[in-house]
mmCIF file with all atom_site columns, all heavy atoms in Angstrom:
data_model
loop_
_atom_site.group_PDB
_atom_site.id
_atom_site.type_symbol
_atom_site.label_atom_id
_atom_site.label_alt_id
_atom_site.label_comp_id
_atom_site.label_asym_id
_atom_site.label_entity_id
_atom_site.label_seq_id
_atom_site.pdbx_PDB_ins_code
_atom_site.Cartn_x
_atom_site.Cartn_y
_atom_site.Cartn_z
_atom_site.occupancy
_atom_site.B_iso_or_equiv
_atom_site.pdbx_formal_charge
_atom_site.auth_seq_id
_atom_site.auth_comp_id
_atom_site.auth_asym_id
_atom_site.auth_atom_id
_atom_site.pdbx_PDB_model_num
ATOM 1  N N   . SER B 1 58 ? -4.342  -2.105  14.825 1.00 95.00 ? 965 SER B N   1
ATOM 2  C CA  . SER B 1 58 ? -3.365  -1.665  15.821 1.00 95.00 ? 965 SER B CA  1
ATOM 3  C C   . SER B 1 58 ? -2.921  -0.267  15.429 1.00 95.00 ? 965 SER B C   1
ATOM 4  O O   . SER B 1 58 ? -2.137  -0.091  14.494 1.00 95.00 ? 965 SER B O   1
ATOM 5  C CB  . SER B 1 58 ? -2.165  -2.608  15.869 1.00 95.00 ? 965 SER B CB  1
ATOM 6  O OG  . SER B 1 58 ? -1.184  -2.134  16.782 1.00 95.00 ? 965 SER B OG  1
ATOM 7  N N   . GLY B 1 59 ? -3.452  0.728   16.121 1.00 96.00 ? 966 GLY B N   1
ATOM 8  C CA  . GLY B 1 59 ? -3.126  2.114   15.773 1.00 96.00 ? 966 GLY B CA  1
ATOM 9  C C   . GLY B 1 59 ? -3.540  2.430   14.346 1.00 96.00 ? 966 GLY B C   1
ATOM 10 O O   . GLY B 1 59 ? -4.717  2.283   13.984 1.00 96.00 ? 966 GLY B O   1
ATOM 11 N N   . ARG B 1 60 ? -2.597  2.835   13.516 1.00 97.00 ? 967 ARG B N   1
ATOM 12 C CA  . ARG B 1 60 ? -2.896  3.165   12.113 1.00 97.00 ? 967 ARG B CA  1
ATOM 13 C C   . ARG B 1 60 ? -2.800  1.935   11.192 1.00 97.00 ? 967 ARG B C   1
ATOM 14 O O   . ARG B 1 60 ? -2.893  2.069   9.969  1.00 97.00 ? 967 ARG B O   1
ATOM 15 C CB  . ARG B 1 60 ? -1.925  4.237   11.621 1.00 97.00 ? 967 ARG B CB  1
ATOM 16 C CG  . ARG B 1 60 ? -2.087  5.581   12.298 1.00 97.00 ? 967 ARG B CG  1
ATOM 17 C CD  . ARG B 1 60 ? -1.171  6.648   11.721 1.00 97.00 ? 967 ARG B CD  1
ATOM 18 N NE  . ARG B 1 60 ? 0.235   6.337   11.963 1.00 97.00 ? 967 ARG B NE  1
ATOM 19 C CZ  . ARG B 1 60 ? 1.093   5.986   11.008 1.00 97.00 ? 967 ARG B CZ  1
ATOM 20 N NH1 . ARG B 1 60 ? 0.717   5.895   9.742  1.00 97.00 ? 967 ARG B NH1 1
ATOM 21 N NH2 . ARG B 1 60 ? 2.353   5.724   11.313 1.00 97.00 ? 967 ARG B NH2 1
ATOM 22 N N   . LEU B 1 61 ? -2.624  0.773   11.762 1.00 97.00 ? 968 LEU B N   1
ATOM 23 C CA  . LEU B 1 61 ? -2.496  -0.446  10.976 1.00 97.00 ? 968 LEU B CA  1
ATOM 24 C C   . LEU B 1 61 ? -3.799  -1.237  10.995 1.00 97.00 ? 968 LEU B C   1
ATOM 25 O O   . LEU B 1 61 ? -4.458  -1.351  12.027 1.00 97.00 ? 968 LEU B O   1
ATOM 26 C CB  . LEU B 1 61 ? -1.388  -1.336  11.537 1.00 97.00 ? 968 LEU B CB  1
ATOM 27 C CG  . LEU B 1 61 ? -0.004  -0.731  11.679 1.00 97.00 ? 968 LEU B CG  1
ATOM 28 C CD1 . LEU B 1 61 ? 0.943   -1.763  12.270 1.00 97.00 ? 968 LEU B CD1 1
ATOM 29 C CD2 . LEU B 1 61 ? 0.517   -0.222  10.352 1.00 97.00 ? 968 LEU B CD2 1
ATOM 30 N N   . ARG B 1 62 ? -4.133  -1.763  9.818  1.00 98.00 ? 969 ARG B N   1
ATOM 31 C CA  . ARG B 1 62 ? -5.291  -2.657  9.726  1.00 98.00 ? 969 ARG B CA  1
ATOM 32 C C   . ARG B 1 62 ? -4.869  -3.866  8.905  1.00 98.00 ? 969 ARG B C   1
ATOM 33 O O   . ARG B 1 62 ? -4.365  -3.722  7.793  1.00 98.00 ? 969 ARG B O   1
ATOM 34 C CB  . ARG B 1 62 ? -6.468  -1.959  9.069  1.00 98.00 ? 969 ARG B CB  1
ATOM 35 C CG  . ARG B 1 62 ? -7.646  -2.868  8.776  1.00 98.00 ? 969 ARG B CG  1
ATOM 36 C CD  . ARG B 1 62 ? -8.798  -2.082  8.146  1.00 98.00 ? 969 ARG B CD  1
ATOM 37 N NE  . ARG B 1 62 ? -9.800  -2.993  7.587  1.00 98.00 ? 969 ARG B NE  1
ATOM 38 C CZ  . ARG B 1 62 ? -10.019 -3.165  6.288  1.00 98.00 ? 969 ARG B CZ  1
ATOM 39 N NH1 . ARG B 1 62 ? -9.306  -2.502  5.412  1.00 98.00 ? 969 ARG B NH1 1
ATOM 40 N NH2 . ARG B 1 62 ? -10.954 -3.998  5.873  1.00 98.00 ? 969 ARG B NH2 1
ATOM 41 N N   . VAL B 1 63 ? -5.057  -5.037  9.465  1.00 98.00 ? 970 VAL B N   1
ATOM 42 C CA  . VAL B 1 63 ? -4.696  -6.271  8.783  1.00 98.00 ? 970 VAL B CA  1
ATOM 43 C C   . VAL B 1 63 ? -5.959  -7.086  8.559  1.00 98.00 ? 970 VAL B C   1
ATOM 44 O O   . VAL B 1 63 ? -6.800  -7.193  9.445  1.00 98.00 ? 970 VAL B O   1
ATOM 45 C CB  . VAL B 1 63 ? -3.684  -7.086  9.613  1.00 98.00 ? 970 VAL B CB  1
ATOM 46 C CG1 . VAL B 1 63 ? -3.527  -8.489  9.049  1.00 98.00 ? 970 VAL B CG1 1
ATOM 47 C CG2 . VAL B 1 63 ? -2.338  -6.386  9.642  1.00 98.00 ? 970 VAL B CG2 1
ATOM 48 N N   . THR B 1 64 ? -6.068  -7.652  7.367  1.00 98.00 ? 971 THR B N   1
ATOM 49 C CA  . THR B 1 64 ? -7.163  -8.571  7.088  1.00 98.00 ? 971 THR B CA  1
ATOM 50 C C   . THR B 1 64 ? -6.568  -9.925  6.704  1.00 98.00 ? 971 THR B C   1
ATOM 51 O O   . THR B 1 64 ? -5.436  -10.016 6.240  1.00 98.00 ? 971 THR B O   1
ATOM 52 C CB  . THR B 1 64 ? -8.047  -8.055  5.942  1.00 98.00 ? 971 THR B CB  1
ATOM 53 O OG1 . THR B 1 64 ? -7.262  -7.969  4.748  1.00 98.00 ? 971 THR B OG1 1
ATOM 54 C CG2 . THR B 1 64 ? -8.639  -6.699  6.280  1.00 98.00 ? 971 THR B CG2 1
ATOM 55 N N   . LEU B 1 65 ? -7.355  -10.937 6.907  1.00 97.00 ? 972 LEU B N   1
ATOM 56 C CA  . LEU B 1 65 ? -6.944  -12.295 6.560  1.00 97.00 ? 972 LEU B CA  1
ATOM 57 C C   . LEU B 1 65 ? -8.114  -13.010 5.911  1.00 97.00 ? 972 LEU B C   1
ATOM 58 O O   . LEU B 1 65 ? -9.219  -13.038 6.470  1.00 97.00 ? 972 LEU B O   1
ATOM 59 C CB  . LEU B 1 65 ? -6.494  -13.054 7.808  1.00 97.00 ? 972 LEU B CB  1
ATOM 60 C CG  . LEU B 1 65 ? -6.027  -14.503 7.597  1.00 97.00 ? 972 LEU B CG  1
ATOM 61 C CD1 . LEU B 1 65 ? -4.779  -14.554 6.717  1.00 97.00 ? 972 LEU B CD1 1
ATOM 62 C CD2 . LEU B 1 65 ? -5.773  -15.175 8.939  1.00 97.00 ? 972 LEU B CD2 1
ATOM 63 N N   . ASP B 1 66 ? -7.866  -13.569 4.742  1.00 97.00 ? 973 ASP B N   1
ATOM 64 C CA  . ASP B 1 66 ? -8.868  -14.370 4.041  1.00 97.00 ? 973 ASP B CA  1
ATOM 65 C C   . ASP B 1 66 ? -8.265  -15.754 3.823  1.00 97.00 ? 973 ASP B C   1
ATOM 66 O O   . ASP B 1 66 ? -7.496  -15.964 2.895  1.00 97.00 ? 973 ASP B O   1
ATOM 67 C CB  . ASP B 1 66 ? -9.226  -13.700 2.706  1.00 97.00 ? 973 ASP B CB  1
ATOM 68 C CG  . ASP B 1 66 ? -10.385 -14.401 2.006  1.00 97.00 ? 973 ASP B CG  1
ATOM 69 O OD1 . ASP B 1 66 ? -10.606 -15.611 2.254  1.00 97.00 ? 973 ASP B OD1 1
ATOM 70 O OD2 . ASP B 1 66 ? -11.061 -13.755 1.201  1.00 97.00 ? 973 ASP B OD2 1
ATOM 71 N N   . THR B 1 67 ? -8.617  -16.679 4.690  1.00 95.00 ? 974 THR B N   1
ATOM 72 C CA  . THR B 1 67 ? -8.013  -18.015 4.609  1.00 95.00 ? 974 THR B CA  1
ATOM 73 C C   . THR B 1 67 ? -8.515  -18.783 3.394  1.00 95.00 ? 974 THR B C   1
ATOM 74 O O   . THR B 1 67 ? -7.819  -19.668 2.897  1.00 95.00 ? 974 THR B O   1
ATOM 75 C CB  . THR B 1 67 ? -8.292  -18.828 5.884  1.00 95.00 ? 974 THR B CB  1
ATOM 76 O OG1 . THR B 1 67 ? -9.694  -18.831 6.135  1.00 95.00 ? 974 THR B OG1 1
ATOM 77 C CG2 . THR B 1 67 ? -7.547  -18.248 7.072  1.00 95.00 ? 974 THR B CG2 1
ATOM 78 N N   . SER B 1 68 ? -9.696  -18.446 2.895  1.00 95.00 ? 975 SER B N   1
ATOM 79 C CA  . SER B 1 68 ? -10.210 -19.149 1.706  1.00 95.00 ? 975 SER B CA  1
ATOM 80 C C   . SER B 1 68 ? -9.393  -18.773 0.468  1.00 95.00 ? 975 SER B C   1
ATOM 81 O O   . SER B 1 68 ? -9.209  -19.592 -0.431 1.00 95.00 ? 975 SER B O   1
ATOM 82 C CB  . SER B 1 68 ? -11.675 -18.816 1.482  1.00 95.00 ? 975 SER B CB  1
ATOM 83 O OG  . SER B 1 68 ? -11.845 -17.452 1.139  1.00 95.00 ? 975 SER B OG  1
ATOM 84 N N   . LYS B 1 69 ? -8.882  -17.559 0.445  1.00 95.00 ? 976 LYS B N   1
ATOM 85 C CA  . LYS B 1 69 ? -8.050  -17.106 -0.669 1.00 95.00 ? 976 LYS B CA  1
ATOM 86 C C   . LYS B 1 69 ? -6.562  -17.199 -0.344 1.00 95.00 ? 976 LYS B C   1
ATOM 87 O O   . LYS B 1 69 ? -5.722  -16.864 -1.182 1.00 95.00 ? 976 LYS B O   1
ATOM 88 C CB  . LYS B 1 69 ? -8.389  -15.662 -1.038 1.00 95.00 ? 976 LYS B CB  1
ATOM 89 C CG  . LYS B 1 69 ? -9.780  -15.479 -1.589 1.00 95.00 ? 976 LYS B CG  1
ATOM 90 C CD  . LYS B 1 69 ? -10.042 -14.030 -1.974 1.00 95.00 ? 976 LYS B CD  1
ATOM 91 C CE  . LYS B 1 69 ? -11.442 -13.870 -2.539 1.00 95.00 ? 976 LYS B CE  1
ATOM 92 N NZ  . LYS B 1 69 ? -11.740 -12.460 -2.871 1.00 95.00 ? 976 LYS B NZ  1
#
Side-chain angles (χ1 to χ4, degrees):
Chain B
S965 177
R967 294 184 295 111
L968 304 179
R969 173 179 167 250
V970 168
T971 62
L972 180 64
D973 187 335
T974 53
S975 66
K976 294 182 179 178

